PDB file of all heavy atoms in Angstrom:
ATOM      1  N   GLU A1089       1.402   9.563  -8.453  1.00 58.00           N
ATOM      2  CA  GLU A1089       2.714   8.926  -8.116  1.00 58.00           C
ATOM      3  C   GLU A1089       2.802   7.534  -8.806  1.00 58.00           C
ATOM      4  O   GLU A1089       1.839   6.828  -8.821  1.00 58.00           O
ATOM      5  CB  GLU A1089       2.912   8.702  -6.559  1.00 58.00           C
ATOM      6  CG  GLU A1089       2.885   9.908  -5.842  1.00 58.00           C
ATOM      7  CD  GLU A1089       4.143  10.802  -5.948  1.00 58.00           C
ATOM      8  OE1 GLU A1089       5.153  10.133  -6.496  1.00 58.00           O
ATOM      9  OE2 GLU A1089       4.183  11.906  -5.563  1.00 58.00           O
ATOM     10  N   PRO A1090       3.886   7.221  -9.427  1.00 55.00           N
ATOM     11  CA  PRO A1090       4.103   5.954 -10.017  1.00 55.00           C
ATOM     12  C   PRO A1090       3.962   4.756  -8.970  1.00 55.00           C
ATOM     13  O   PRO A1090       4.316   4.875  -7.768  1.00 55.00           O
ATOM     14  CB  PRO A1090       5.460   5.946 -10.543  1.00 55.00           C
ATOM     15  CG  PRO A1090       6.173   6.992  -9.803  1.00 55.00           C
ATOM     16  CD  PRO A1090       5.238   8.004  -9.318  1.00 55.00           C
ATOM     17  N   LEU A1091       3.307   3.768  -9.425  1.00 51.00           N
ATOM     18  CA  LEU A1091       2.996   2.599  -8.468  1.00 51.00           C
ATOM     19  C   LEU A1091       4.188   1.676  -8.507  1.00 51.00           C
ATOM     20  O   LEU A1091       4.761   1.392  -9.456  1.00 51.00           O
ATOM     21  CB  LEU A1091       1.764   1.813  -8.954  1.00 51.00           C
ATOM     22  CG  LEU A1091       0.506   2.537  -8.961  1.00 51.00           C
ATOM     23  CD1 LEU A1091      -0.639   1.630  -9.425  1.00 51.00           C
ATOM     24  CD2 LEU A1091       0.088   3.106  -7.572  1.00 51.00           C
ATOM     25  N   SER A1092       4.519   1.284  -7.217  1.00 48.00           N
ATOM     26  CA  SER A1092       5.603   0.154  -7.115  1.00 48.00           C
ATOM     27  C   SER A1092       4.882  -1.157  -7.516  1.00 48.00           C
ATOM     28  O   SER A1092       3.616  -1.335  -7.404  1.00 48.00           O
ATOM     29  CB  SER A1092       6.113   0.162  -5.689  1.00 48.00           C
ATOM     30  OG  SER A1092       6.650   1.360  -5.329  1.00 48.00           O
ATOM     31  N   GLU A1093       5.599  -2.246  -7.750  1.00 47.00           N
ATOM     32  CA  GLU A1093       5.080  -3.454  -8.118  1.00 47.00           C
ATOM     33  C   GLU A1093       4.433  -4.065  -6.889  1.00 47.00           C
ATOM     34  O   GLU A1093       5.046  -4.009  -5.747  1.00 47.00           O
ATOM     35  CB  GLU A1093       6.178  -4.381  -8.623  1.00 47.00           C
ATOM     36  CG  GLU A1093       5.651  -5.744  -8.965  1.00 47.00           C
ATOM     37  CD  GLU A1093       6.705  -6.618  -9.631  1.00 47.00           C
ATOM     38  OE1 GLU A1093       7.784  -6.091  -9.884  1.00 47.00           O
ATOM     39  OE2 GLU A1093       6.465  -7.874  -9.785  1.00 47.00           O
ATOM     40  N   ARG A1094       3.142  -4.458  -6.991  1.00 42.00           N
ATOM     41  CA  ARG A1094       2.378  -4.916  -5.801  1.00 42.00           C
ATOM     42  C   ARG A1094       3.016  -6.241  -5.255  1.00 42.00           C
ATOM     43  O   ARG A1094       3.360  -7.168  -6.085  1.00 42.00           O
ATOM     44  CB  ARG A1094       0.941  -5.165  -6.249  1.00 42.00           C
ATOM     45  CG  ARG A1094       0.037  -5.572  -5.153  1.00 42.00           C
ATOM     46  CD  ARG A1094      -1.399  -5.555  -5.724  1.00 42.00           C
ATOM     47  NE  ARG A1094      -2.307  -6.184  -4.725  1.00 42.00           N
ATOM     48  CZ  ARG A1094      -3.636  -6.057  -4.864  1.00 42.00           C
ATOM     49  NH1 ARG A1094      -4.091  -5.417  -5.801  1.00 42.00           N
ATOM     50  NH2 ARG A1094      -4.411  -6.679  -3.909  1.00 42.00           N
ATOM     51  N   GLN A1095       2.969  -6.363  -4.042  1.00 42.00           N
ATOM     52  CA  GLN A1095       3.470  -7.553  -3.431  1.00 42.00           C
ATOM     53  C   GLN A1095       2.420  -8.203  -2.560  1.00 42.00           C
ATOM     54  O   GLN A1095       1.505  -7.483  -2.003  1.00 42.00           O
ATOM     55  CB  GLN A1095       4.679  -7.291  -2.436  1.00 42.00           C
ATOM     56  CG  GLN A1095       5.900  -6.757  -3.125  1.00 42.00           C
ATOM     57  CD  GLN A1095       7.036  -6.453  -2.179  1.00 42.00           C
ATOM     58  OE1 GLN A1095       6.941  -6.647  -1.026  1.00 42.00           O
ATOM     59  NE2 GLN A1095       8.152  -6.040  -2.761  1.00 42.00           N
ATOM     60  N   GLU A1096       2.325  -9.477  -2.557  1.00 40.00           N
ATOM     61  CA  GLU A1096       1.269 -10.159  -1.801  1.00 40.00           C
ATOM     62  C   GLU A1096       1.691 -10.287  -0.395  1.00 40.00           C
ATOM     63  O   GLU A1096       2.779 -10.709  -0.022  1.00 40.00           O
ATOM     64  CB  GLU A1096       1.075 -11.626  -2.387  1.00 40.00           C
ATOM     65  CG  GLU A1096       0.600 -11.567  -3.824  1.00 40.00           C
ATOM     66  CD  GLU A1096      -0.769 -10.973  -4.016  1.00 40.00           C
ATOM     67  OE1 GLU A1096      -1.600 -11.133  -2.994  1.00 40.00           O
ATOM     68  OE2 GLU A1096      -1.041 -10.339  -4.949  1.00 40.00           O
ATOM     69  N   ASP A1097       0.676  -9.900   0.488  1.00 40.00           N
ATOM     70  CA  ASP A1097       0.940 -10.137   1.878  1.00 40.00           C
ATOM     71  C   ASP A1097      -0.459 -10.090   2.514  1.00 40.00           C
ATOM     72  O   ASP A1097      -1.490 -10.272   1.934  1.00 40.00           O
ATOM     73  CB  ASP A1097       1.804  -8.962   2.519  1.00 40.00           C
ATOM     74  CG  ASP A1097       1.251  -7.622   2.163  1.00 40.00           C
ATOM     75  OD1 ASP A1097      -0.035  -7.412   2.090  1.00 40.00           O
ATOM     76  OD2 ASP A1097       1.983  -6.638   1.817  1.00 40.00           O
ATOM     77  N   ASP A1098      -0.416 -10.079   3.847  1.00 42.00           N
ATOM     78  CA  ASP A1098      -1.690 -10.304   4.664  1.00 42.00           C
ATOM     79  C   ASP A1098      -2.371  -8.943   5.114  1.00 42.00           C
ATOM     80  O   ASP A1098      -3.298  -9.018   5.854  1.00 42.00           O
ATOM     81  CB  ASP A1098      -1.462 -11.131   5.904  1.00 42.00           C
ATOM     82  CG  ASP A1098      -0.970 -12.528   5.450  1.00 42.00           C
ATOM     83  OD1 ASP A1098      -1.360 -12.998   4.398  1.00 42.00           O
ATOM     84  OD2 ASP A1098      -0.149 -13.092   6.256  1.00 42.00           O
ATOM     85  N   MET A1099      -1.880  -7.754   4.540  1.00 44.00           N
ATOM     86  CA  MET A1099      -2.409  -6.580   4.997  1.00 44.00           C
ATOM     87  C   MET A1099      -3.845  -6.405   4.410  1.00 44.00           C
ATOM     88  O   MET A1099      -4.157  -6.803   3.375  1.00 44.00           O
ATOM     89  CB  MET A1099      -1.504  -5.430   4.474  1.00 44.00           C
ATOM     90  CG  MET A1099      -0.171  -5.376   4.958  1.00 44.00           C
ATOM     91  SD  MET A1099       0.737  -4.095   4.299  1.00 44.00           S
ATOM     92  CE  MET A1099       2.385  -4.326   4.910  1.00 44.00           C
ATOM     93  N   PRO A1100      -4.742  -5.913   5.293  1.00 70.00           N
ATOM     94  CA  PRO A1100      -6.144  -5.703   4.733  1.00 70.00           C
ATOM     95  C   PRO A1100      -6.300  -4.825   3.622  1.00 70.00           C
ATOM     96  O   PRO A1100      -6.961  -4.986   2.654  1.00 70.00           O
ATOM     97  CB  PRO A1100      -6.881  -5.268   6.030  1.00 70.00           C
ATOM     98  CG  PRO A1100      -5.845  -4.720   6.902  1.00 70.00           C
ATOM     99  CD  PRO A1100      -4.617  -5.419   6.679  1.00 70.00           C
ATOM    100  N   HIS A1101      -5.551  -3.620   3.733  1.00 85.00           N
ATOM    101  CA  HIS A1101      -5.564  -2.609   2.689  1.00 85.00           C
ATOM    102  C   HIS A1101      -4.109  -2.184   2.589  1.00 85.00           C
ATOM    103  O   HIS A1101      -3.586  -1.697   3.613  1.00 85.00           O
ATOM    104  CB  HIS A1101      -6.491  -1.546   2.874  1.00 85.00           C
ATOM    105  CG  HIS A1101      -7.895  -1.952   2.891  1.00 85.00           C
ATOM    106  ND1 HIS A1101      -8.567  -2.603   1.842  1.00 85.00           N
ATOM    107  CD2 HIS A1101      -8.874  -1.810   3.869  1.00 85.00           C
ATOM    108  CE1 HIS A1101      -9.796  -2.827   2.112  1.00 85.00           C
ATOM    109  NE2 HIS A1101     -10.022  -2.319   3.338  1.00 85.00           N
ATOM    110  N   ARG A1102      -3.513  -2.160   1.378  1.00 89.00           N
ATOM    111  CA  ARG A1102      -2.192  -1.646   1.200  1.00 89.00           C
ATOM    112  C   ARG A1102      -2.305  -0.149   0.837  1.00 89.00           C
ATOM    113  O   ARG A1102      -3.294   0.381   0.335  1.00 89.00           O
ATOM    114  CB  ARG A1102      -1.464  -2.452   0.218  1.00 89.00           C
ATOM    115  CG  ARG A1102      -0.902  -3.735   0.690  1.00 89.00           C
ATOM    116  CD  ARG A1102      -0.280  -4.527  -0.485  1.00 89.00           C
ATOM    117  NE  ARG A1102      -1.334  -5.110  -1.289  1.00 89.00           N
ATOM    118  CZ  ARG A1102      -2.002  -6.191  -1.132  1.00 89.00           C
ATOM    119  NH1 ARG A1102      -1.748  -6.939  -0.072  1.00 89.00           N
ATOM    120  NH2 ARG A1102      -2.879  -6.598  -1.966  1.00 89.00           N
ATOM    121  N   CYS A1103      -1.211   0.564   0.919  1.00 93.00           N
ATOM    122  CA  CYS A1103      -1.020   1.894   0.597  1.00 93.00           C
ATOM    123  C   CYS A1103      -1.373   1.992  -0.930  1.00 93.00           C
ATOM    124  O   CYS A1103      -0.759   1.214  -1.726  1.00 93.00           O
ATOM    125  CB  CYS A1103       0.359   2.391   0.879  1.00 93.00           C
ATOM    126  SG  CYS A1103       0.730   3.974   0.180  1.00 93.00           S
ATOM    127  N   PRO A1104      -2.079   2.864  -1.357  1.00 90.00           N
ATOM    128  CA  PRO A1104      -2.449   3.013  -2.815  1.00 90.00           C
ATOM    129  C   PRO A1104      -1.328   3.489  -3.648  1.00 90.00           C
ATOM    130  O   PRO A1104      -1.341   3.441  -4.906  1.00 90.00           O
ATOM    131  CB  PRO A1104      -3.656   3.975  -2.854  1.00 90.00           C
ATOM    132  CG  PRO A1104      -3.524   4.738  -1.613  1.00 90.00           C
ATOM    133  CD  PRO A1104      -2.970   3.898  -0.580  1.00 90.00           C
ATOM    134  N   THR A1105      -0.244   4.042  -3.072  1.00 90.00           N
ATOM    135  CA  THR A1105       0.900   4.585  -3.841  1.00 90.00           C
ATOM    136  C   THR A1105       1.912   3.496  -3.927  1.00 90.00           C
ATOM    137  O   THR A1105       2.316   3.155  -5.040  1.00 90.00           O
ATOM    138  CB  THR A1105       1.553   5.801  -3.112  1.00 90.00           C
ATOM    139  OG1 THR A1105       0.492   6.750  -3.076  1.00 90.00           O
ATOM    140  CG2 THR A1105       2.626   6.314  -3.904  1.00 90.00           C
ATOM    141  N   CYS A1106       2.501   2.958  -2.884  1.00 91.00           N
ATOM    142  CA  CYS A1106       3.581   1.983  -2.931  1.00 91.00           C
ATOM    143  C   CYS A1106       3.055   0.524  -3.133  1.00 91.00           C
ATOM    144  O   CYS A1106       3.850  -0.321  -3.627  1.00 91.00           O
ATOM    145  CB  CYS A1106       4.568   2.067  -1.782  1.00 91.00           C
ATOM    146  SG  CYS A1106       3.733   1.511  -0.157  1.00 91.00           S
ATOM    147  N   GLN A1107       1.838   0.353  -2.693  1.00 88.00           N
ATOM    148  CA  GLN A1107       1.247  -1.025  -2.813  1.00 88.00           C
ATOM    149  C   GLN A1107       2.031  -2.081  -1.915  1.00 88.00           C
ATOM    150  O   GLN A1107       1.881  -3.294  -2.243  1.00 88.00           O
ATOM    151  CB  GLN A1107       1.107  -1.449  -4.281  1.00 88.00           C
ATOM    152  CG  GLN A1107       0.231  -0.680  -5.103  1.00 88.00           C
ATOM    153  CD  GLN A1107      -1.288  -0.965  -4.796  1.00 88.00           C
ATOM    154  OE1 GLN A1107      -1.723  -2.148  -4.915  1.00 88.00           O
ATOM    155  NE2 GLN A1107      -2.043  -0.032  -4.516  1.00 88.00           N
ATOM    156  N   GLU A1108       2.753  -1.550  -0.966  1.00 91.00           N
ATOM    157  CA  GLU A1108       3.548  -2.587  -0.160  1.00 91.00           C
ATOM    158  C   GLU A1108       3.286  -2.474   1.216  1.00 91.00           C
ATOM    159  O   GLU A1108       2.913  -3.423   1.901  1.00 91.00           O
ATOM    160  CB  GLU A1108       5.018  -2.275  -0.485  1.00 91.00           C
ATOM    161  CG  GLU A1108       5.505  -2.526  -1.834  1.00 91.00           C
ATOM    162  CD  GLU A1108       6.908  -2.044  -2.129  1.00 91.00           C
ATOM    163  OE1 GLU A1108       7.508  -1.371  -1.218  1.00 91.00           O
ATOM    164  OE2 GLU A1108       7.426  -2.264  -3.183  1.00 91.00           O
ATOM    165  N   ARG A1109       3.284  -1.241   1.818  1.00 93.00           N
ATOM    166  CA  ARG A1109       3.081  -1.052   3.210  1.00 93.00           C
ATOM    167  C   ARG A1109       1.604  -0.848   3.553  1.00 93.00           C
ATOM    168  O   ARG A1109       0.787  -0.597   2.633  1.00 93.00           O
ATOM    169  CB  ARG A1109       3.829   0.188   3.732  1.00 93.00           C
ATOM    170  CG  ARG A1109       5.317  -0.013   3.719  1.00 93.00           C
ATOM    171  CD  ARG A1109       6.078   1.227   4.150  1.00 93.00           C
ATOM    172  NE  ARG A1109       6.039   2.286   3.105  1.00 93.00           N
ATOM    173  CZ  ARG A1109       6.860   2.487   2.243  1.00 93.00           C
ATOM    174  NH1 ARG A1109       7.948   1.719   2.122  1.00 93.00           N
ATOM    175  NH2 ARG A1109       6.678   3.570   1.334  1.00 93.00           N
ATOM    176  N   GLU A1110       1.271  -1.059   4.791  1.00 93.00           N
ATOM    177  CA  GLU A1110      -0.178  -1.001   5.252  1.00 93.00           C
ATOM    178  C   GLU A1110      -0.680   0.420   5.161  1.00 93.00           C
ATOM    179  O   GLU A1110       0.073   1.386   5.470  1.00 93.00           O
ATOM    180  CB  GLU A1110      -0.319  -1.539   6.595  1.00 93.00           C
ATOM    181  CG  GLU A1110      -1.721  -1.576   7.116  1.00 93.00           C
ATOM    182  CD  GLU A1110      -1.763  -2.254   8.520  1.00 93.00           C
ATOM    183  OE1 GLU A1110      -0.793  -2.556   9.112  1.00 93.00           O
ATOM    184  OE2 GLU A1110      -2.960  -2.314   9.021  1.00 93.00           O
ATOM    185  N   LEU A1111      -1.899   0.564   4.797  1.00 93.00           N
ATOM    186  CA  LEU A1111      -2.533   1.813   4.727  1.00 93.00           C
ATOM    187  C   LEU A1111      -2.871   2.225   6.177  1.00 93.00           C
ATOM    188  O   LEU A1111      -3.720   1.552   6.757  1.00 93.00           O
ATOM    189  CB  LEU A1111      -3.808   1.726   3.893  1.00 93.00           C
ATOM    190  CG  LEU A1111      -4.570   3.022   3.464  1.00 93.00           C
ATOM    191  CD1 LEU A1111      -5.514   2.769   2.324  1.00 93.00           C
ATOM    192  CD2 LEU A1111      -5.306   3.691   4.631  1.00 93.00           C
ATOM    193  N   ASP A1112      -2.274   3.301   6.733  1.00 93.00           N
ATOM    194  CA  ASP A1112      -2.309   3.587   8.142  1.00 93.00           C
ATOM    195  C   ASP A1112      -2.543   4.972   8.528  1.00 93.00           C
ATOM    196  O   ASP A1112      -2.704   5.243   9.699  1.00 93.00           O
ATOM    197  CB  ASP A1112      -1.201   2.896   8.887  1.00 93.00           C
ATOM    198  CG  ASP A1112       0.098   3.768   8.600  1.00 93.00           C
ATOM    199  OD1 ASP A1112       0.128   4.553   7.769  1.00 93.00           O
ATOM    200  OD2 ASP A1112       1.086   3.312   9.268  1.00 93.00           O
ATOM    201  N   THR A1113      -2.650   5.940   7.516  1.00 95.00           N
ATOM    202  CA  THR A1113      -2.827   7.254   7.854  1.00 95.00           C
ATOM    203  C   THR A1113      -3.486   8.088   6.727  1.00 95.00           C
ATOM    204  O   THR A1113      -3.421   7.649   5.558  1.00 95.00           O
ATOM    205  CB  THR A1113      -1.488   7.915   8.373  1.00 95.00           C
ATOM    206  OG1 THR A1113      -1.751   9.180   9.045  1.00 95.00           O
ATOM    207  CG2 THR A1113      -0.599   8.225   7.152  1.00 95.00           C
ATOM    208  N   LEU A1114      -3.794   9.307   7.057  1.00 93.00           N
ATOM    209  CA  LEU A1114      -4.287  10.235   6.044  1.00 93.00           C
ATOM    210  C   LEU A1114      -4.047  11.636   6.553  1.00 93.00           C
ATOM    211  O   LEU A1114      -3.782  11.868   7.688  1.00 93.00           O
ATOM    212  CB  LEU A1114      -5.786  10.062   5.699  1.00 93.00           C
ATOM    213  CG  LEU A1114      -6.818  10.022   6.822  1.00 93.00           C
ATOM    214  CD1 LEU A1114      -7.106  11.332   7.430  1.00 93.00           C
ATOM    215  CD2 LEU A1114      -8.113   9.392   6.273  1.00 93.00           C
ATOM    216  N   ALA A1115      -4.025  12.581   5.604  1.00 94.00           N
ATOM    217  CA  ALA A1115      -3.716  13.953   5.997  1.00 94.00           C
ATOM    218  C   ALA A1115      -4.426  14.909   5.018  1.00 94.00           C
ATOM    219  O   ALA A1115      -4.603  14.530   3.810  1.00 94.00           O
ATOM    220  CB  ALA A1115      -2.249  14.248   5.964  1.00 94.00           C
ATOM    221  N   THR A1116      -4.884  16.135   5.408  1.00 92.00           N
ATOM    222  CA  THR A1116      -5.445  17.107   4.638  1.00 92.00           C
ATOM    223  C   THR A1116      -4.468  18.375   4.743  1.00 92.00           C
ATOM    224  O   THR A1116      -4.049  18.726   5.838  1.00 92.00           O
ATOM    225  CB  THR A1116      -6.839  17.517   5.120  1.00 92.00           C
ATOM    226  OG1 THR A1116      -7.640  16.344   5.059  1.00 92.00           O
ATOM    227  CG2 THR A1116      -7.439  18.608   4.248  1.00 92.00           C
TER     228      THR A1116
END
């Protein structure tokens, strides 16, 4: 997936796709 422009914030780990929202889930 194309990456969105990364934004600086205080999240410990951001979503590897959008680089904006917090990484909070996974699925198989």
